[in-house]
Amino acid sequence: MGNLTDPRYIRALCEKYDFRLKKSLGQNFLHDASVLEEIVEAALPEGGGALEIGPGFGVLTEALAGQAERVVAVEIDDRLLPVLDETLAPFDNVSVVHGDVLKLDLPALLKESFGDMPVSVAANLPYYITTPILLALLEKNLPLRRIVVMMQKEVADRIMAAPGGKDYGALTVAVQYRCEVRRVCRVPAASFFPPPKVDSEVLCLSMRENPVVWPKNEDHFFALVRAVFAQRRKTLVNGLANAGRFGTKEKIATAVEKMGLSPTVRGETLSIAQLSSLSDALYV
Ligand code: SAM
């Protein structure tokens, strides 16, 4: 059995299977044993099930297999399936599902694969679809314990941002609404084969038992959040009035005033609690 953290073995596998890495699928393979350890430790401190997105050659998969009761890894690239057959052969608690994680029926997959076992997601995400994957994992209200994922540093900054800055946006609110967020580690480009052009970070998103606020209507709240951040250069009142579905400009201005905010306040300065209050005030 080869060592998947040794770039020479990764190169040998590429040669053996005539495999060319596809940039368009975000194929930058991790070969840093200490980062793998940190991901596994953050995702599975108490064991349980692991859902991996994008196993690549299986370097994280095998690390997870040592700690998890069961690992299910979803890989879109069928050229990787024979490689994974070889690299994951020693593990009888791992199965690979061929598919696009954004198209799979995740609730059904989790139920079938893990039953009632607590499940964490662990992944070195393909960077071109980090946000849609995170939103899919959060929006479907999946029965997950935590999500431990490697992403581009800029996306991690957006997720961890506080109100008022340029990084604070709809993604911040969507994640922090459902999760407590902590930074696990920074990962330099040199930890990957081939090195990406960006630095990376691993975040641990622990699912909250209850959301951080209780808007009267969640769909209305998220529609308002999207509208607020879609029009960042406008004032909150003008941006929401332009969106068309939150009532007249006068109604919005009155709600903003009642919250004790300036009529020219910008939406990106509002906390999640304030966004929720505004959503409630405008919900009919
Ligand atoms: N886990 C490996 C590692 O850490 O070295 C590979 C990570 S690589 C950054 C991303 C992986 O996600 C690749 O194997 C790629 O083929 C796969 N992938 C890309 N888009 C995907 C999708 N929509 N669904 C499932 N897997 C995907």
Side-chain angles (χ1 to χ4, degrees):
M1 187 170 124
N3 175 1
L4 284 165
T5 59
D6 182 347
R8 285 169 304 183
Y9 180 51
I10 300 178
R11 277 197 200 92
L13 282 173
C14 287
E15 239 167 71
K16 176 172 175 187
Y17 288 92
D18 194 19
F19 183 83
R20 270 160 224 232
L21 291 147
K22 262 196 198 160
K23 253 196 195 168
S24 61
L25 289 178
Q27 291 177 341
N28 301 92
F29 294 167
L30 184 64
H31 58 74
D32 184 326
S34 65
V35 175
L36 289 164
E37 225 173 87
E38 294 217 52
I39 296 175
V40 174
E41 190 43 46
L44 299 165
E46 59 295 79
L51 173 69
E52 187 189 1
I53 297 160
F57 281 178
V59 69
L60 176 58
T61 329
E62 64 174 21
L64 292 165
Q67 181 92 351
E69 251 171 87
R70 184 161 170 57
V71 183
V72 172
V74 177
E75 175 55 61
I76 197 171
D77 188 346
D78 58 355
R79 300 171 310 147
L80 285 167
L81 302 180
V83 189
L84 289 165
D85 274 347
E86 175 177 332
T87 58
L88 300 176
F91 303 97
D92 58 10
N93 59 342
V94 174
S95 33
V96 174
V97 174
H98 177 219
D100 178 343
V101 70
L102 293 176
K103 294 192 179 143
L104 286 179
D105 181 347
L106 287 176
L109 177 70
L110 287 173
K111 189 84 202 141
E112 274 160 32
S113 309
F114 299 104
D116 293 328
M117 195 187 292
V119 180
S120 296
V121 171
N124 170 14
L125 288 177
Y127 292 170
Y128 75 108
I129 44 168
T130 297
T131 301
I133 291 176
L134 285 177
L135 294 179
L137 293 173
L138 296 171
E139 267 181 22
K140 290 193 175 115
N141 234 336
L142 296 170
L144 295 173
R145 192 163 46 178
R146 62 184 77 83
I147 302 170
V148 178
V149 273
M150 170 101 67
M151 64 193 75
Q152 192 174 329
K153 181 183 176 303
E154 285 69 20
V155 180
D157 288 343
R158 283 166 53 204
I159 289 175
M160 308 235 2
K166 69 171 176 32
D167 289 329
Y168 183 67
L171 180 64
T172 321
V173 176
V175 175
Q176 292 189 13
Y177 175 73
R178 284 202 202 289
C179 309
E180 268 177 56
V181 185
R182 87 178 160 88
R183 186 173 273 126
V184 176
C185 57
R186 300 220 154 113
V187 187
S191 297
F192 300 87
F193 174 82
K197 292 207 171 69
V198 293
D199 281 335
S200 305
E201 282 187 1
V202 177
L203 295 188
C204 176
L205 318 179
S206 301
M207 308 308 291
R208 299 179 192 277
E209 223 160 271
N210 294 309
V212 74
V213 285
W214 290 103
K216 275 190 209 157
N217 182 294
E218 211 172 69
D219 289 340
H220 187 264
F221 168 67
F222 279 113
L224 178 128
V225 168
R226 280 193 296 274
V228 164
F229 292 107
Q231 312 231 9
R232 297 182 81 106
R233 303 178 77 184
K234 299 211 159 59
T235 63
L236 175 63
V237 173
N238 284 339
L240 284 182
N242 285 350
R245 64 172 280 192
F246 302 102
T248 61
K249 189 170 169 184
E250 290 66 37
K251 181 181 167 193
I252 297 165
T254 307
V256 166
E257 195 190 333
K258 273 196 187 153
M259 287 174 63
L261 298 169
S262 148
T264 58
V265 70
R266 291 193 180 268
E268 72 256 27
T269 63
L270 267 60
S271 67
I272 299 179
Q274 287 173 314
L275 289 164
S276 172
S277 303
L278 184 59
S279 163
D280 288 355
L282 299 176
Y283 183 65
V284 279

